Amino acid sequence: MAAASFPAFAPAAKAFELAEESKLTVAFTGDMPGSGWQDGKLIGYDGEIMQKIADKLGLKIQPALMEWSGTIASVEAGRVDVMLGTMGWTEKRTKIMTLSEPIHYFKNGIMQSTKTNWDKLSDLEGKKVGTITGFSFVPELKKINGLELSLYDTSDAAVRDLIAGRIEAVIGDPPVVSYAIKQNPDWNMQFLAFADQNAEFPLLTGLGQVVYGINKKNDDLRQKMDAIIAEMWKSCEMKAIGARYGLSADVWYTPSGDNFRAGVDRPTDYKLPSCAAGG
């Protein structure tokens, strides 16, 4: 039915070098509000957008639920075609995957008790902090003076240790931890974005872009995906989808600061997409 509904994309879909013919094999972590699987479809912010892309390309989603540490390696090896899960753009990742247009922006921050109000890198000095194995900013966390870092395979495991008092803070995906806090007010936790603007810690304190990672042999697939994403930005559909998952503030859809992709994996005159306030 999907192929019949979007005939213009059907011939192109057959040309992609997919892990499984006529299917888009998607690696995801299942951390909401980013991704999940329900009634045979991807859900969550990242997932819902990917489901729409697959439908328009005439491809059936083949789900591949896994821990974060396995997602990028699976794309690089060709075991899956694309990965998602609030993945931030980094120059390093452009070397091993082809990365989509952003689907939203974010600021990293600190998940912590409501008894504290930490919003600076210096607040983490000498603290026990948890994050997820494979996250791009791990090397930056290790540079913070006296910080005792614990690595976890899942966000759930890190948050459990935070609630139990075994660690004092979690640096995780902002949408994931914000959503978890909203769903569990009895935790008495809060998320505060970093107030720092520190060039030595660009991944922790800069504006991030959430993207999809695609196997390099399928850059043509990435281009087709980007065309659909561009239309969703123009119509502000990104923001309409985000509102269903608690991502309604303009900060998620407004780029600011340095355009670090220009001249790296995009042309030098590249402009980041945005959705105007009130759109």
Side-chain angles (χ1 to χ4, degrees):
M1 286 296 291
S5 300
F6 304 97
F9 287 100
K14 293 181 180 179
F16 303 139
E17 294 184 45
L18 303 174
E20 190 170 343
E21 187 176 351
S22 300
K23 294 183 179 180
L24 189 66
T25 304
V26 180
F28 65 102
T29 62
D31 284 335
M32 290 291 283
S35 64
W37 184 255
Q38 181 177 303
D39 299 328
K41 290 183 177 293
L42 283 169
I43 61 170
Y45 183 80
D46 295 42
E48 192 170 325
I49 295 170
M50 180 58 68
Q51 185 68 55
K52 181 177 287 289
I53 290 170
D55 289 345
K56 288 194 172 185
L57 292 176
L59 295 169
K60 181 180 179 180
I61 296 285
Q62 180 66 34
L65 181 65
M66 62 182 70
E67 293 177 350
W68 172 258
S69 56
T71 55
I72 295 176
S74 293
V75 171
E76 187 178 12
R79 293 188 293 271
V80 303
D81 305 307
V82 58
M83 60 80 59
L84 56 83
T86 56
M87 179 180 74
W89 182 95
T90 68
E91 185 171 354
K92 182 178 179 180
R93 285 173 178 157
T94 67
K95 310 299 182 185
I96 56 178
M97 298 183 289
T98 181
L99 303 178
S100 75
E101 287 290 278
I103 58 173
H104 73 71
Y105 305 100
F106 67 93
K107 283 279 290 183
N108 280 309
I110 307 169
M111 182 179 180
Q112 60 193 286
S113 167
T114 53
K115 296 177 181 179
T116 57
N117 290 290
W118 301 330
D119 64 355
K120 298 178 179 63
L121 296 172
S122 59
D123 290 329
L124 297 178
E125 293 180 359
K127 304 296 193 303
K128 295 180 179 179
V129 177
T131 193
I132 314 305
T133 300
F135 273 19
S136 58
F137 49 64
V138 168
E140 292 184 7
L141 284 173
K142 291 180 177 178
K143 289 164 54 178
I144 296 175
N145 186 40
L147 185 147
E148 185 178 330
L149 187 63
S150 296
L151 297 175
Y152 298 85
D153 288 332
T154 67
S155 297
D156 285 347
V159 171
R160 282 197 299 270
D161 269 10
L162 176 60
I163 294 169
R166 288 186 283 271
I167 55 177
E168 299 166 273
V170 167
I171 314 299
D173 284 323
V176 172
V177 296
S178 298
Y179 183 81
I181 290 168
K182 183 178 180 181
Q183 298 298 311
N184 299 275
D186 57 306
W187 288 352
N188 295 315
M189 294 289 169
Q190 63 177 330
F191 172 83
L192 296 180
F194 283 112
D196 306 79
Q197 292 287 328
N198 192 323
E200 294 184 11
F201 297 84
L203 299 179
L204 283 172
T205 67
L207 185 75
Q209 302 177 32
V210 170
V211 297
Y212 298 130
I214 302 104
N215 188 285
K216 274 188 171 288
K217 68 184 179 184
N218 268 330
D219 192 61
D220 53 344
L221 172 61
R222 191 269 307 167
Q223 292 178 46
K224 292 288 193 302
M225 290 172 58
D226 279 353
I228 297 168
I229 292 170
E231 289 301 318
M232 295 176 75
W233 275 109
K234 288 178 183 177
S235 67
C236 266
E237 188 173 0
M238 295 298 190
K239 193 170 184 179
I241 292 172
R244 292 198 278 275
Y245 300 100
L247 307 181
S248 55
D250 286 341
V251 67
W252 302 106
Y253 311 101
T254 308
S256 63
D258 294 336
N259 183 359
F260 40 78
R261 294 187 74 172
V264 179
D265 68 338
R266 293 295 187 269
T268 54
D269 60 350
Y270 171 71
K271 305 294 184 185
L272 289 165
S274 66
C275 177

